[in-house]
Amino acid sequence: MHRLPMKLATVAWLIVFSTGAFAQAAQSTTAAQRGQAAASPSQVQVDLLRGLADVFSRGMDTLTEKLNQQGYRARVYSTNGWQAVAHRIADKYSRGHKDIIVIIGHSLGANATFDIANQLDRQNIPIELVVTFDATQPQPVPKNVLHLVNFYQQNGFGKPVSAGPEFKGELANIDLTADTGLSHTTIEKSPRLHLMVMKKIEDVVRKDLANKVRATKPKTKKHKTSA
C-alpha cells in the first residue's frame, strides 16, 4: 500500500465526511459487516490516551463510551499509562491473542501513541490504526502501523505527522486550522470527528487488514544430536 500525499489524503477525507454521502456510506458498510464481515467489533481492542493531567481530554472518555456501545473493547488511560498498554498488547500477542489493534490519543496522549507504536514495532506487532488529535510532538510513523489519521490545527500545539523511512501504510493529515469552532482543548470532543473515527474503525474492521500481517518470528536453529 502506498502512502497518500498529504493534500490528496486530506481532500479525500473531506469529500467523504463533509457531505451527505457519509451517512449512506456508513449504512452500506454496516450492511456489509452483517453479511460478509471479515471481523467483528469484539475482535477490536481500542486503547485511548488522555492528555495532560487528564483534565483537558475528556472527549477521549466520551469516545470510549461510544465505541463500547458499538461492541468494541475500548479502554481509556492517562498519558503515563502508555507503557501498560504496550505491555498488555505484547503479552496478549505472545499468547496468540492477535486482536485488531487501534490506538487513539489527544495532545500528550497523542504523542504517547507513537511511543506505543515504536515499542510494538520492535516486537514486530502490527497496529491496524492510530488516530491522533493535535499531537504536540509527533514522531515519524513506524513500519508496523497500517493506517494513521492525524487531526490537527496549526494553533501552536498541533503538528502534521510524517512517515518513517520504512512506513508503507496510509497516512492522512487532516488540517482543521480553518475550523474556528475547534481548539486544542476541544478538538477531541467534536462529535463530527468522533463520527469520522468510528467510520474509519468500521472500515478497517470490515477489511481486517491486520490478519494479513504476520509478525516475523525469530528463527531457531536446530541442533543435531549424535546417534
Side-chain angles (χ1 to χ4, degrees):
M1 182 182 295
H2 298 290
R3 178 168 59 92
L4 293 176
M6 184 175 69
K7 289 184 179 179
L8 279 178
T10 303
V11 170
W13 272 73
L14 292 177
I15 290 173
V16 172
F17 292 108
S18 64
T19 68
F22 169 78
Q24 296 177 354
Q27 291 174 359
S28 64
T29 51
T30 302
Q33 265 188 277
R34 290 195 296 265
Q36 289 183 318
S40 68
S42 63
Q43 294 173 265
V44 182
Q45 176 63 53
V46 188
D47 293 301
L48 301 93
L49 294 108
R50 304 186 196 99
L52 179 65
D54 292 347
V55 176
F56 303 111
S57 300
R58 287 302 170 177
M60 294 290 93
D61 296 70
T62 304
L63 182 54
T64 299
E65 293 174 6
K66 292 176 181 178
L67 291 167
N68 281 321
Q69 289 171 1
Q70 290 194 340
Y72 300 108
R73 290 180 289 116
R75 305 179 189 181
V76 63
Y77 297 81
S78 300
T79 298
N80 58 12
W82 75 263
Q83 291 179 313
V85 172
H87 177 77
R88 193 198 72 250
I89 292 172
D91 180 63
K92 290 185 67 177
Y93 200 86
S94 68
R95 291 185 285 112
H97 300 288
K98 297 180 179 180
D99 299 326
I100 297 174
I101 300 168
V102 177
I103 304 173
I104 303 171
H106 170 238
S107 190
L108 297 183
N111 297 347
T113 66
F114 295 94
D115 294 322
I116 295 172
N118 280 304
Q119 183 162 316
L120 297 182
D121 184 42
R122 290 190 288 271
Q123 299 173 74
N124 297 309
I125 298 175
I127 300 175
E128 186 71 49
L129 173 65
V130 174
V131 178
T132 54
F133 290 87
D134 241 16
T136 60
Q137 291 183 317
Q139 302 172 46
V141 189
K143 65 182 183 299
N144 63 324
V145 176
L146 301 182
H147 305 268
L148 190 142
V149 178
N150 175 45
F151 298 108
Y152 76 103
Q153 290 185 304
Q154 299 183 53
N155 52 14
F157 294 98
K159 294 178 176 63
V161 172
S162 62
E166 298 181 83
F167 176 72
K168 299 185 184 302
E170 175 195 33
L171 171 58
N173 277 297
I174 313 300
D175 187 347
L176 300 170
T177 305
D179 190 338
T180 56
L182 297 176
S183 68
H184 183 68
T185 57
T186 64
I187 190 170
E188 95 295 350
K189 299 176 181 66
S190 166
R192 175 171 62 91
L193 299 186
H194 285 185
L195 194 60
M196 291 171 68
V197 171
M198 290 188 288
K199 175 61 171 60
K200 186 64 177 180
I201 295 174
E202 181 183 335
D203 285 344
V204 298
V205 171
R206 179 171 53 85
K207 295 172 183 175
D208 194 15
L209 299 180
N211 282 346
K212 299 178 182 178
V213 178
R214 294 293 179 263
T216 303
K217 296 182 179 179
K219 295 181 179 179
T220 56
K221 295 182 179 179
K222 294 182 179 180
H223 298 279
K224 294 183 179 179
T225 57
S226 56

